[in-house]
Short mmCIF file of all heavy atoms in Angstrom, two decimals:
data_model
loop_
_atom_site.label_atom_id
_atom_site.label_comp_id
_atom_site.label_asym_id
_atom_site.label_seq_id
_atom_site.Cartn_x
_atom_site.Cartn_y
_atom_site.Cartn_z
N ARG A 18 -1.55 -17.55 -1.79
CA ARG A 18 -1.20 -17.46 -0.40
C ARG A 18 -1.22 -16.00 -0.01
O ARG A 18 -0.84 -15.04 -0.80
CB ARG A 18 0.20 -18.04 -0.14
CG ARG A 18 0.21 -19.56 -0.38
CD ARG A 18 1.63 -20.04 -0.05
NE ARG A 18 2.03 -19.81 1.30
CZ ARG A 18 3.24 -20.09 1.79
NH1 ARG A 18 4.15 -20.55 0.94
NH2 ARG A 18 3.53 -19.85 3.00
N GLY A 19 -1.65 -15.65 1.23
CA GLY A 19 -1.66 -14.27 1.63
C GLY A 19 -0.22 -13.77 1.93
O GLY A 19 0.68 -14.50 2.19
N LEU A 20 -0.11 -12.45 1.92
CA LEU A 20 1.13 -11.77 2.26
C LEU A 20 1.32 -11.81 3.77
O LEU A 20 0.40 -11.73 4.55
CB LEU A 20 1.13 -10.36 1.72
CG LEU A 20 0.96 -10.19 0.16
CD1 LEU A 20 0.96 -8.66 -0.10
CD2 LEU A 20 2.01 -10.89 -0.57
N THR A 21 2.61 -11.87 4.17
CA THR A 21 2.91 -11.91 5.61
C THR A 21 4.03 -10.98 6.01
O THR A 21 4.18 -10.66 7.17
CB THR A 21 3.21 -13.35 6.10
OG1 THR A 21 4.41 -13.76 5.35
CG2 THR A 21 2.15 -14.34 5.86
N ASP A 22 4.73 -10.49 5.01
CA ASP A 22 6.01 -9.65 5.27
C ASP A 22 5.63 -8.25 5.52
O ASP A 22 5.18 -7.56 4.57
CB ASP A 22 6.93 -9.85 4.13
CG ASP A 22 8.24 -9.16 4.32
OD1 ASP A 22 8.47 -8.58 5.42
OD2 ASP A 22 9.11 -9.17 3.47
N LEU A 23 5.84 -7.71 6.71
CA LEU A 23 5.59 -6.36 7.05
C LEU A 23 6.89 -5.54 7.15
O LEU A 23 6.91 -4.53 7.85
CB LEU A 23 4.77 -6.28 8.34
CG LEU A 23 3.36 -6.80 8.33
CD1 LEU A 23 2.81 -6.94 9.78
CD2 LEU A 23 2.51 -5.73 7.57
N SER A 24 7.91 -5.95 6.44
CA SER A 24 9.18 -5.32 6.61
C SER A 24 9.18 -3.84 6.14
O SER A 24 9.84 -2.98 6.71
CB SER A 24 10.29 -6.05 5.85
OG SER A 24 9.97 -6.27 4.50
N VAL A 25 8.41 -3.57 5.09
CA VAL A 25 8.30 -2.16 4.57
C VAL A 25 7.61 -1.26 5.54
O VAL A 25 8.05 -0.19 5.92
CB VAL A 25 7.54 -2.11 3.21
CG1 VAL A 25 7.23 -0.69 2.82
CG2 VAL A 25 8.35 -2.87 2.14
N GLU A 26 6.58 -1.86 6.21
CA GLU A 26 5.83 -1.05 7.16
C GLU A 26 6.70 -0.87 8.46
O GLU A 26 6.67 0.19 9.05
CB GLU A 26 4.51 -1.77 7.53
CG GLU A 26 3.48 -1.80 6.40
CD GLU A 26 3.60 -2.90 5.45
OE1 GLU A 26 4.64 -3.61 5.39
OE2 GLU A 26 2.69 -3.15 4.56
N ARG A 27 7.46 -1.88 8.78
CA ARG A 27 8.34 -1.73 9.97
C ARG A 27 9.41 -0.73 9.75
O ARG A 27 9.82 -0.04 10.68
CB ARG A 27 8.97 -3.17 10.35
CG ARG A 27 7.91 -4.15 10.89
CD ARG A 27 8.58 -5.31 11.54
NE ARG A 27 7.67 -6.18 12.17
CZ ARG A 27 7.04 -7.29 11.59
NH1 ARG A 27 7.43 -7.55 10.39
NH2 ARG A 27 6.19 -8.00 12.20
N GLU A 28 9.96 -0.67 8.54
CA GLU A 28 10.86 0.34 8.19
C GLU A 28 10.32 1.69 8.36
O GLU A 28 11.04 2.62 8.83
CB GLU A 28 11.37 0.09 6.83
CG GLU A 28 12.48 1.06 6.29
CD GLU A 28 13.76 0.95 7.09
OE1 GLU A 28 14.04 -0.06 7.68
OE2 GLU A 28 14.51 1.96 7.11
N LEU A 29 9.11 1.92 7.92
CA LEU A 29 8.52 3.25 8.12
C LEU A 29 8.43 3.63 9.60
O LEU A 29 8.66 4.80 9.97
CB LEU A 29 7.09 3.25 7.50
CG LEU A 29 7.05 3.27 5.94
CD1 LEU A 29 5.59 3.19 5.51
CD2 LEU A 29 7.77 4.46 5.30
N LEU A 30 8.02 2.64 10.42
CA LEU A 30 7.89 2.96 11.78
C LEU A 30 9.25 3.32 12.39
O LEU A 30 9.39 4.23 13.18
CB LEU A 30 7.42 1.69 12.56
CG LEU A 30 7.13 1.79 14.05
CD1 LEU A 30 6.09 2.87 14.34
CD2 LEU A 30 6.67 0.44 14.59
N SER A 31 10.38 2.62 11.92
CA SER A 31 11.66 2.95 12.41
C SER A 31 12.13 4.35 11.98
O SER A 31 12.98 5.01 12.58
CB SER A 31 12.65 1.86 11.94
OG SER A 31 12.91 1.98 10.55
N GLU A 32 11.55 4.81 10.86
CA GLU A 32 11.91 6.15 10.32
C GLU A 32 11.15 7.25 11.10
O GLU A 32 11.36 8.44 10.82
CB GLU A 32 11.65 6.20 8.85
CG GLU A 32 12.47 5.34 7.96
CD GLU A 32 12.10 5.44 6.53
OE1 GLU A 32 11.55 6.44 6.09
OE2 GLU A 32 12.36 4.45 5.75
N GLY A 33 10.22 6.84 11.97
CA GLY A 33 9.51 7.83 12.74
C GLY A 33 8.12 8.16 12.20
O GLY A 33 7.46 9.08 12.77
N PHE A 34 7.61 7.33 11.26
CA PHE A 34 6.25 7.57 10.82
C PHE A 34 5.23 6.89 11.76
O PHE A 34 5.57 5.84 12.31
CB PHE A 34 6.07 7.08 9.40
CG PHE A 34 6.78 7.88 8.38
CD1 PHE A 34 8.03 7.53 7.89
CD2 PHE A 34 6.14 9.03 7.87
CE1 PHE A 34 8.63 8.34 6.95
CE2 PHE A 34 6.80 9.85 6.96
CZ PHE A 34 8.03 9.48 6.50
N ASP A 35 4.09 7.49 11.89
CA ASP A 35 2.98 6.96 12.72
C ASP A 35 2.04 6.12 12.00
O ASP A 35 1.42 5.21 12.58
CB ASP A 35 2.31 8.09 13.49
CG ASP A 35 3.25 9.00 14.24
OD1 ASP A 35 4.00 8.43 15.09
OD2 ASP A 35 3.18 10.24 14.09
N TYR A 36 1.72 6.53 10.76
CA TYR A 36 0.71 5.96 9.94
C TYR A 36 1.18 5.64 8.49
O TYR A 36 2.05 6.32 8.06
CB TYR A 36 -0.57 6.88 9.86
CG TYR A 36 -1.37 6.88 11.10
CD1 TYR A 36 -1.01 7.85 12.12
CD2 TYR A 36 -2.46 6.06 11.40
CE1 TYR A 36 -1.68 7.96 13.36
CE2 TYR A 36 -3.14 6.20 12.55
CZ TYR A 36 -2.79 7.12 13.56
OH TYR A 36 -3.47 7.22 14.73
N VAL A 37 0.59 4.64 7.93
CA VAL A 37 0.86 4.39 6.50
C VAL A 37 -0.53 4.28 5.77
O VAL A 37 -1.48 3.76 6.34
CB VAL A 37 1.65 3.10 6.31
CG1 VAL A 37 0.91 1.86 6.79
CG2 VAL A 37 2.12 2.87 4.86
N ILE A 38 -0.56 4.81 4.55
CA ILE A 38 -1.74 4.58 3.68
C ILE A 38 -1.36 3.90 2.42
O ILE A 38 -0.47 4.40 1.63
CB ILE A 38 -2.32 6.00 3.29
CG1 ILE A 38 -2.66 6.79 4.54
CG2 ILE A 38 -3.57 5.79 2.44
CD1 ILE A 38 -3.11 8.25 4.22
N GLY A 39 -1.87 2.63 2.33
CA GLY A 39 -1.64 1.89 1.06
C GLY A 39 -2.55 2.44 -0.01
O GLY A 39 -3.74 2.68 0.29
N VAL A 40 -2.10 2.54 -1.27
CA VAL A 40 -2.96 3.08 -2.33
C VAL A 40 -2.74 2.21 -3.57
O VAL A 40 -1.61 1.94 -4.00
CB VAL A 40 -2.63 4.52 -2.62
CG1 VAL A 40 -3.44 5.05 -3.83
CG2 VAL A 40 -2.77 5.42 -1.45
N ASP A 41 -3.85 1.83 -4.27
CA ASP A 41 -3.75 1.24 -5.57
C ASP A 41 -4.99 1.51 -6.36
O ASP A 41 -6.01 1.90 -5.89
CB ASP A 41 -3.70 -0.33 -5.34
CG ASP A 41 -3.21 -1.09 -6.54
OD1 ASP A 41 -2.68 -0.43 -7.45
OD2 ASP A 41 -3.36 -2.35 -6.57
N GLU A 42 -4.77 1.46 -7.71
CA GLU A 42 -5.87 1.78 -8.60
C GLU A 42 -6.36 0.51 -9.31
O GLU A 42 -5.70 -0.47 -9.35
CB GLU A 42 -5.33 2.88 -9.67
CG GLU A 42 -4.20 2.42 -10.51
CD GLU A 42 -4.42 1.50 -11.59
OE1 GLU A 42 -5.62 1.40 -12.06
OE2 GLU A 42 -3.53 0.84 -12.14
N VAL A 43 -7.56 0.65 -9.88
CA VAL A 43 -8.13 -0.43 -10.66
C VAL A 43 -9.01 0.24 -11.77
O VAL A 43 -9.61 1.25 -11.61
CB VAL A 43 -9.00 -1.35 -9.82
CG1 VAL A 43 -10.22 -0.62 -9.25
CG2 VAL A 43 -9.40 -2.58 -10.60
N GLY A 44 -9.02 -0.44 -12.94
CA GLY A 44 -9.79 0.00 -14.10
C GLY A 44 -9.08 0.94 -15.03
O GLY A 44 -9.73 1.41 -16.01
N ARG A 45 -7.81 1.02 -14.89
CA ARG A 45 -7.05 1.90 -15.80
C ARG A 45 -7.20 1.52 -17.29
O ARG A 45 -7.33 2.37 -18.20
CB ARG A 45 -5.51 1.84 -15.50
CG ARG A 45 -4.68 2.88 -16.23
CD ARG A 45 -3.22 2.43 -16.19
NE ARG A 45 -2.72 2.61 -14.79
CZ ARG A 45 -1.96 3.63 -14.38
NH1 ARG A 45 -1.67 4.65 -15.19
NH2 ARG A 45 -1.53 3.65 -13.13
N GLY A 46 -7.20 0.20 -17.58
CA GLY A 46 -7.18 -0.25 -18.98
C GLY A 46 -8.61 -0.64 -19.48
O GLY A 46 -8.73 -1.10 -20.60
N ALA A 47 -9.61 -0.36 -18.70
CA ALA A 47 -10.98 -0.77 -19.12
C ALA A 47 -11.51 0.19 -20.24
O ALA A 47 -10.95 1.34 -20.33
CB ALA A 47 -11.96 -0.73 -17.92
N LEU A 48 -12.41 -0.15 -20.97
CA LEU A 48 -13.04 0.62 -21.99
C LEU A 48 -14.23 1.41 -21.46
O LEU A 48 -14.66 2.40 -22.03
CB LEU A 48 -13.56 -0.23 -23.22
CG LEU A 48 -12.46 -1.04 -23.87
CD1 LEU A 48 -13.10 -1.79 -25.08
CD2 LEU A 48 -11.24 -0.20 -24.32
N ALA A 49 -14.83 0.86 -20.35
CA ALA A 49 -16.05 1.51 -19.81
C ALA A 49 -15.96 1.49 -18.28
O ALA A 49 -15.29 0.72 -17.69
CB ALA A 49 -17.25 0.72 -20.32
N GLY A 50 -16.78 2.41 -17.72
CA GLY A 50 -16.78 2.43 -16.28
C GLY A 50 -15.80 3.32 -15.63
O GLY A 50 -14.89 3.88 -16.32
N PRO A 51 -15.88 3.55 -14.35
CA PRO A 51 -14.96 4.47 -13.67
C PRO A 51 -13.55 3.96 -13.54
O PRO A 51 -13.38 2.68 -13.68
CB PRO A 51 -15.58 4.62 -12.29
CG PRO A 51 -16.24 3.28 -12.09
CD PRO A 51 -16.74 2.85 -13.42
N VAL A 52 -12.61 4.78 -13.30
CA VAL A 52 -11.30 4.42 -12.82
C VAL A 52 -11.34 4.65 -11.33
O VAL A 52 -11.78 5.66 -10.86
CB VAL A 52 -10.17 5.14 -13.49
CG1 VAL A 52 -10.20 6.61 -13.20
CG2 VAL A 52 -8.83 4.59 -13.01
N SER A 53 -10.94 3.61 -10.49
CA SER A 53 -11.16 3.69 -9.06
C SER A 53 -9.79 3.58 -8.28
O SER A 53 -8.90 2.89 -8.83
CB SER A 53 -12.14 2.58 -8.63
OG SER A 53 -13.42 2.76 -9.25
N VAL A 54 -9.72 4.21 -7.19
CA VAL A 54 -8.60 4.13 -6.26
C VAL A 54 -8.99 3.66 -4.93
O VAL A 54 -9.92 4.26 -4.32
CB VAL A 54 -7.86 5.45 -6.29
CG1 VAL A 54 -6.66 5.43 -5.24
CG2 VAL A 54 -7.37 5.88 -7.66
#
């Protein structure tokens, strides 16, 4: 099921932030290929 809860993002807005950047990595445990973000 997809995520629906935006409470973290709403909290940032209430703190006065204008934008949020979500960040995640992939490939950390691979033996070959790039590590990507």
Side-chain angles (χ1 to χ4, degrees):
R18 296 180 61 186
L20 301 179
T21 59
D22 184 2
L23 289 166
S24 58
V25 172
E26 291 87 345
R27 289 193 176 94
E28 179 63 24
L29 289 177
L30 185 61
S31 71
E32 292 176 27
F34 288 96
D35 303 309
Y36 290 84
V37 62
I38 302 173
V40 180
D41 197 13
E42 56 79 19
V43 64
R45 185 197 296 258
L48 304 181
V52 61
S53 300
V54 173

